[in-house]
Amino acid sequence: MGGDALTFKLFGLTFNTTNIVSGLIIYAIVFFTLYGMSRKIQMKPKGAQNVLEWLIDFTNGIVRSQMPASEQGHYSFFAFVLFVFIFFANQFGLLFQFHWNGVEVLRSPTADPVVTLTFSLMVMALAHFAGVAHNGLGGYLKNYTKPFTLMLPINIIEDFANFLTLGLRIFGNIFAGELLMSLIANMAFSHGILTIIPSLLLELCWQGFSIFIGSIQAYVFVTLTTVYISRKVSE
């Protein structure tokens, strides 16, 4: 895309400044957006409150469709916050992708596999914790041998594959979308006016498609999150 990420070293560790800054901006956007939507709650919703209630109903619907009734209340808010944050993170690079002297300063955090796999690790850790809390350690471990003992290695591999695919799916879609946007932008200035106009039209079309893809990926991520947690608490 715009080049290497901006980094700094502290105590021998390398920190990705690009992801940190972009992530903090998205945290602020999510906070102030939700705060603004919920400032004036009325019995008859209108305007921003309608949007907020629709989002809550939408994510609650995802949870209801995947999880047993006894567990839905425990994860509804988690699903809502996760969906909103990932949605904004996926769209962030469409407006704020910025690089300077070959270094990326701002981009979608979800265009970095480290970020998406961290989200994936968080989800899988929560799913396993929920499984132990719901079934006890013995019952949780016993589920790896169902329907028979020889399934143990296959079930372990399945968990690892779920961790990888959950994170890499969203990374691949967002990274590819932002990469193509950068290529179109470079093409726009390659041959003057002959490429500026068609590139502009192509960029607008691709941005619209990227908004759709980013929304779908947020939905898929939250849906799979509830599926994985539901499997652990239902077994």
Side-chain angles (χ1 to χ4, degrees), residues 54-64 76 79-80 83-84 222:
W54 178 85
L55 280 173
I56 293 173
D57 287 341
F58 177 72
T59 54
N60 284 348
I62 296 175
V63 175
R64 284 195 299 267
S76 295
F80 170 72
F83 176 83
V84 173
V222 173

Side-chain angles (χ1 to χ4, degrees), residues 193-215:
I193 193 67
L194 294 176
T195 54
I196 289 178
I197 295 177
S199 296
L200 177 61
L201 295 175
L202 185 59
E203 187 87 352
L204 290 174
C205 291
W206 185 251
Q207 281 202 341
F209 184 68
S210 295
I211 292 173
F212 172 75
I213 292 297
S215 304

Side-chain angles (χ1 to χ4, degrees), residues 33-41 48-49 52:
T33 299
L34 296 181
Y35 176 75
M37 287 180 170
S38 58
R39 279 193 64 194
K40 298 179 180 179
I41 300 298
Q49 185 181 340
L52 179 61

Side-chain angles (χ1 to χ4, degrees), residues 113-126:
V114 174
V115 173
T116 57
L117 287 173
T118 300
F119 273 110
S120 180
L121 180 62
M122 174 190 70
V123 167
M124 299 309 295
L126 176 61

